Amino acid sequence: MEPATVRSRAGRPRATRGSTGRDPREEILDAAAALFVENGYAATTTRAIAERTGIRQASLYYHFAGKEEILAALLEQTVRPSVDVARSLRADDRLSPAAALHRLAVYDVEALAAAPHNVGTLYLSPEARHERFAGFRAARRELRDAYGALAEEALADALRGTWRADELGAVIIHLVEIAITLRNDGDPVDAEHVADACLRVCGLHEDAIAAARAAG
Amino acid sequence: MEPATVRSRAGRPRATRGSTGRDPREEILDAAAALFVENGYAATTTRAIAERTGIRQASLYYHFAGKEEILAALLEQTVRPSVDVARSLRADDRLSPAAALHRLAVYDVEALAAAPHNVGTLYLSPEARHERFAGFRAARRELRDAYGALAEEALADALRGTWRADELGAVIIHLVEIAITLRNDGDPVDAEHVADACLRVCGLHEDAIAAARAAG
């Protein structure tokens, strides 16, 4: 894609699919994710995002109100699919809580590991704390609570009463997010191993974990 | 401390203790940590750090070559004490590997939770990947390897051969670093619970964990 060619086009901002055949909104998000992860949110301008996308800055503003809205969409994308999977797994009563938890953790780790850019590295950035990103935080909280509810149901008897569900959920979602740190360090990510570790944190023995792994 | 008063002083930059009685180097690090965590590394200037410290910018450069050297010192401070504790615990043959691992995890979680500023939120920032911070990364790797070595020794028989020590160490250090995420979210941090979870990841049963907790 050549920015110069695209920038020379006159007329209305493109709302149709660009030269790559992808939705221009998705192209903008992809370019922004690459720049935010590589150089940081503060150091990235909407101009740089438009240039990398191969569109004019005005076209970018046709799709997004600004940089904050782009980051909000990117952060939400890192949790939204897993929130949906968590809902459908919790509604599926053929799966044991341990099997559902294992499957959710595998899905989530693989999604974080396979995303085109490691946007999770922005979770702890000062910008992500702002009010503007309340939607992302609410979605991540829903995912944490789904982990907490499944983990509480799966919990070994010996641990009942020692952990609150929200504390358990916080530990499990954090464990899953190791995919972000491993990617950042250039280390391989084994989703099955991480999901097994989530069940061990719940105090399950190896035979119960093997059964959950097979069913999940 | 009033920046105006200090800025009006003439002569050589202060190398002695400031008005608060603290080492000026420590005062600079404290002010920088507050600004980096609050506003981000890229958005913070050495001028802002000097102003918050209550010294002239020239005085700051008397102690540090620049912003990068300050961040390098801050990142290293988050892991160095735990690296030292890990070394002494591994040299102490009165402790079982599980007890040593538990004690190290409690120490490390409490250190991350009690530090004046949550500098760990900068671990995944793009700046921290630069060559300049190789010292920090080497120290964190040493800590990860200490966790990995202790965890491998403590590992339940059923898990032997399924995890490599470096993978185990990566999971345990990441679990300990939940203190950074919980602080960032404003949630309480229970160091004993996190340390217990580290031993559960090693496949230990509750009686073995209780014994390690009591000994550690």
Side-chain angles (χ1 to χ4, degrees):
Chain A
M1 195 182 307
E2 288 174 274
T5 313
V6 180
R7 249 189 275 125
S8 69
R9 283 186 199 161
R12 286 205 318 153
R14 295 188 301 172
T16 55
R17 283 170 192 274
S19 55
T20 59
R22 290 171 64 199
D23 184 328
R25 204 184 130 88
E26 291 307 313
E27 288 186 2
I28 292 165
L29 288 172
D30 187 72
L35 292 167
F36 290 165
V37 171
E38 207 172 307
N39 307 325
Y41 176 78
T44 302
T45 60
T46 51
R47 184 199 168 103
I49 297 168
E51 274 185 12
R52 187 170 176 132
T53 312
I55 59 173
R56 289 173 303 117
Q57 215 171 340
S59 309
L60 185 146
Y61 284 107
Y62 178 85
H63 296 285
F64 293 97
K67 210 168 75 158
E68 289 197 334
E69 206 190 301
I70 297 176
L71 180 59
L74 286 171
L75 289 173
E76 275 211 52
Q77 279 184 353
T78 64
V79 279
R80 183 62 60 195
S82 295
V83 167
D84 295 340
V85 168
R87 281 183 192 159
S88 74
L89 284 173
R90 290 185 66 192
D92 183 350
D93 48 21
R94 290 164 304 176
L95 283 176
S96 70
L101 177 54
H102 197 277
R103 194 187 286 186
L104 178 58
V106 167
Y107 176 87
D108 206 0
V109 168
E110 286 180 346
L112 290 171
H117 307 285
N118 198 5
V119 172
T121 56
L122 302 164
Y123 283 177
L124 296 180
S125 66
E127 294 84 10
R129 277 174 231 136
H130 291 179
E131 186 51 44
R132 192 77 186 74
F133 307 107
F136 155 65
R137 282 199 302 278
R140 187 179 177 277
R141 207 174 309 117
E142 182 177 344
L143 184 56
R144 182 199 72 183
D145 291 347
Y147 278 119
L150 288 170
E152 198 172 41
E153 288 178 63
L155 206 63
D157 289 337
L159 292 187
R160 294 211 177 276
T162 61
W163 290 70
R164 297 188 322 273
D166 61 337
E167 194 186 10
L168 206 44
V171 170
I172 308 266
I173 195 170
H174 177 76
L175 205 42
V176 163
E177 288 169 355
I178 193 176
I180 298 162
T181 301
L182 291 174
R183 256 188 96 164
N184 190 63
D185 293 345
D187 291 330
V189 183
D190 185 322
E192 295 281 337
H193 272 187
V194 176
D196 290 356
C198 291
L199 292 184
R200 270 179 212 121
V201 165
C202 298
L204 297 197
H205 290 188
E206 293 310 310
D207 49 352
I209 294 173
R213 197 190 300 128
Chain B
M1 194 185 305
E2 289 172 275
T5 313
V6 179
R7 248 187 277 126
S8 69
R9 283 186 198 163
R12 286 205 319 153
R14 296 189 300 174
T16 55
R17 284 169 188 275
S19 56
T20 59
R22 292 171 64 200
D23 184 326
R25 204 183 132 87
E26 291 306 314
E27 288 186 2
I28 293 166
L29 288 172
D30 187 72
L35 291 167
F36 290 164
V37 171
E38 206 173 308
N39 308 325
Y41 176 77
T44 302
T45 60
T46 51
R47 186 198 166 104
I49 298 168
E51 274 184 12
R52 186 168 175 134
T53 311
I55 59 172
R56 288 174 303 117
Q57 215 172 338
S59 307
L60 185 146
Y61 284 107
Y62 178 84
H63 296 286
F64 293 97
K67 210 167 76 156
E68 289 198 332
E69 205 191 301
I70 296 176
L71 179 59
L74 286 170
L75 290 172
E76 274 212 49
Q77 278 184 353
T78 65
V79 280
R80 185 59 61 196
S82 295
V83 168
D84 293 341
V85 168
R87 281 184 193 160
S88 74
L89 284 172
R90 291 185 66 193
D92 182 351
D93 49 19
R94 290 164 305 176
L95 284 175
S96 71
L101 177 54
H102 198 278
R103 193 186 285 186
L104 176 58
V106 167
Y107 176 87
D108 206 0
V109 169
E110 286 180 345
L112 290 170
H117 307 285
N118 198 5
V119 172
T121 56
L122 302 164
Y123 282 177
L124 296 180
S125 65
E127 295 83 10
R129 276 176 232 136
H130 291 179
E131 186 50 45
R132 192 76 186 76
F133 306 108
F136 155 67
R137 283 199 302 280
R140 186 178 177 278
R141 206 173 311 118
E142 181 176 344
L143 184 56
R144 182 199 72 184
D145 291 345
Y147 277 119
L150 288 171
E152 198 172 41
E153 287 179 62
L155 205 63
D157 288 338
L159 292 187
R160 294 212 176 277
T162 62
W163 290 71
R164 297 188 321 275
D166 62 337
E167 194 186 11
L168 205 45
V171 170
I172 308 263
I173 195 170
H174 177 77
L175 204 42
V176 162
E177 288 170 354
I178 193 176
I180 298 162
T181 300
L182 292 174
R183 258 188 93 164
N184 190 62
D185 293 345
D187 291 331
V189 182
D190 186 322
E192 294 281 338
H193 272 187
V194 176
D196 289 358
C198 291
L199 292 184
R200 271 180 211 117
V201 165
C202 298
L204 297 198
H205 290 187
E206 293 310 309
D207 49 351
I209 294 173
R213 198 189 300 128

